[in-house]
Structures are given as C-alpha cells and as structure tokens.
Amino acid sequence: MNTTKPSPLCAGDTIALVAPASWVTGVDQIVAALEERGFGVKVAANAFSKLSNFAGTDEERSRSLMEAFVDPEVKGVWCM
C-alpha cells in the first residue's frame, strides 16, 4: 500500500476551517492569525452555528466538511 502525503502549506495557500463536531469560539481570532501568516481562509458555513453542543445539524456539518474537501482552491482542511 502506497502512502500519499500532501504538499506542505505555503503562504498564499487557502485553508478551509470546518467545524465537523462541536461549536467553537474564537473563529475570528483563528482567521486573523492565519491571514497574518499569509494564508487565505475559507470558513465553513456552519462554523458559527450552535445546535445543543454541535456546530449545526449532522447534515450541515457533513456538507461543510465535504465542500472543503472538493473545493479546488483549498490546500488544507483544518477541523476546529
């Protein structure tokens, strides 16, 4: 079995921030820190959602994760 390793992230690359489980705080600070380091950032649609302990419904969370994986501009997916 061959292992495929992704290329390292470089300034100018776009990182998708997704919340596939619990809701999170500090998203704005995370975005600012990544942008200061030269990265582009796409925040998932459900990143600011709250549904009990979760960042939206199961469907919203799974959709956001899959959209990040198939987006040709995204070079890295970070789960918050």
Side-chain angles (χ1 to χ4, degrees):
M1 186 167 146
N2 293 331
T3 301
T4 302
K5 294 184 181 182
S7 302
L9 293 173
C10 300
D13 288 344
T14 299
I15 298 171
L17 299 178
V18 298
S22 300
W23 56 271
V24 294
T25 59
V27 175
D28 294 330
Q29 290 85 356
I30 296 168
V31 170
L34 290 171
E35 288 177 342
E36 283 177 14
R37 288 162 177 79
F39 294 105
V41 181
K42 288 188 173 185
V43 180
N46 72 311
F48 298 99
S49 298
K50 276 187 175 182
L51 179 66
S52 184
N53 291 332
F54 300 103
T57 65
D58 292 346
E59 182 181 328
E60 290 169 333
R61 291 181 287 122
S62 63
R63 183 180 330 113
S64 290
L65 182 60
M66 292 310 300
E67 285 174 355
F69 282 132
V70 300
D71 187 332
E73 293 179 18
V74 171
K75 300 297 181 193
V77 177
W78 286 17
C79 297
M80 301 184 286

